[in-house]
Amino acid sequence: METLAPLLVPMAGFWDTIMAPLHWAVSGLLVLAHNLFSPLFGPDSGLTWTLSILVLTIVIRTLLIPLFVKQIRSSRNMMTLQPKVRELQKKYAHDREKLGQETMKMYKEEGVNPMASCFPLLLQMPIFFALFQVLNAAARGQVKGAFMTQELVDSMREATIFGANLAGTFLPMDSFGANQIVAMILILAMVASQFYVQLQLSAKNMPPEAMTGPMAQQQKMMLYLFPVIFGIGGVAFPIGLLIYWTASNLWSMGQQFYVIRQSPTPGTPAYAAWEARMRMKGYDPATIKPGQKRVKIADTPLVESSGTTSSGTTTDVVSDPVKIERQRVQRQQPRRQPRSNRKK
């Protein structure tokens, strides 16, 4: 390790230089939120710092909405193509080169980029890592970010919420107290929300045929593995960081619920629920797709063309079944009678 020390120091300095703009932005948002709540609850209040962390979480997650939506849709498209990928794997099992060519050709025809689901995640990681560094450094009495000062760092370290210190961790512990209770509650909430976010995507917005195969098994493994990893690592996270992570998971849960509700995958429980909602609102699900402009059944013209029967009367020809149903239940108007008959 002593021989590697001269090499690690320049690398650490280079990494800090790369992350400096993100540290600047994260610390600026945190200090701005702290200044907004300080007149209400006091600058050293745990509630002030907790609300500041929540505001910081909301702002960052709002800015990342386009990347999040793109990641959700790309992952869904990749999962729905798995049955076709398995067919290609069976067909070209003994020709790996041909398999790769046909797979990329299929992705191109379907308009799916295999790397599209990775790019948004890779772009988000530096932002989350910068946020982790700023909060983690403040919890340990270190200044990270241009807007953070030693006075603000000391204020955050001494702030408490529900009797627990924002800089406190579950481990190590001298005795079981408020820090351990609050940290345990937040760890459980973080793990549960992380599990539900992943379960929500696979259980409601994936067709049955996409839930089999190697990629589906990998998704199932990640479903249980990630919460365990975060649960084990959470015992060393400061309470302030656990607040951010739990709030971020809850935001992801609501955001993902909205995306799945408005743009479900065909052949899934979410799509069936979407079709039922469209019918209740007066729309025909067969003529629209999620995200398209909707036209109510009542607003569509019932008559498409006219024809003449053998008796010489004119009839309206309607081809759409929905329009036929509405025309069938229309009230028939009485024929106009001569004035003499109306008087009688």
Side-chain angles (χ1 to χ4, degrees), residues 224-267:
Y224 296 99
L225 184 60
F226 275 5
V228 173
I229 293 175
F230 281 104
I232 295 174
V235 297
F237 287 173
I239 289 177
L241 190 60
L242 290 174
I243 291 174
Y244 156 73
W245 211 275
T246 304
S248 181
N249 286 344
L250 294 176
W251 177 278
S252 297
M253 189 187 305
Q255 189 171 255
Q256 190 166 269
F257 173 81
Y258 178 80
V259 172
I260 294 175
R261 179 181 174 88
Q262 298 299 322
S263 183
T265 303

Side-chain angles (χ1 to χ4, degrees), residues 37-164:
F37 292 112
S38 291
L40 298 177
F41 308 106
D44 300 325
S45 171
L47 183 58
T48 298
W49 281 110
T50 300
L51 292 175
S52 301
I53 294 173
L54 293 178
V55 169
L56 175 64
T57 306
I58 293 172
V59 171
I60 291 179
R61 294 310 305 266
T62 301
L63 295 175
L64 293 176
I65 284 177
L67 292 178
F68 180 86
V69 173
K70 189 174 182 179
Q71 179 184 350
I72 288 287
R73 291 178 176 174
S74 298
S75 300
R76 180 188 64 188
N77 292 338
M78 287 294 296
M79 289 292 291
T80 53
L81 288 179
Q82 287 309 298
K84 295 184 178 180
V85 173
R86 289 196 295 272
E87 292 180 2
L88 292 177
Q89 290 173 346
K90 294 178 181 178
K91 186 176 181 181
Y92 303 102
H94 302 290
D95 192 347
R96 306 298 297 179
E97 183 178 356
K98 185 66 174 178
L99 174 61
Q101 294 175 355
E102 292 297 324
T103 302
M104 295 306 297
K105 181 181 177 181
M106 185 264 295
Y107 284 148
K108 186 176 181 180
E109 293 175 351
E110 297 290 340
V112 175
N113 185 358
M115 300 300 296
S117 59
C118 300
F119 284 142
L121 183 61
L122 294 177
L123 292 175
Q124 294 177 49
M125 289 306 295
I127 300 174
F128 291 145
F129 193 65
L131 181 61
F132 173 85
Q133 287 183 318
V134 171
L135 294 178
N136 194 50
R140 284 160 172 74
Q142 302 172 1
V143 177
K144 183 75 71 174
F147 292 94
M148 292 295 290
T149 64
Q150 191 62 48
E151 182 181 357
L152 290 173
V153 168
D154 295 338
S155 175
M156 178 182 283
R157 281 178 55 83
E158 297 173 0
T160 59
I161 185 76
F162 300 116

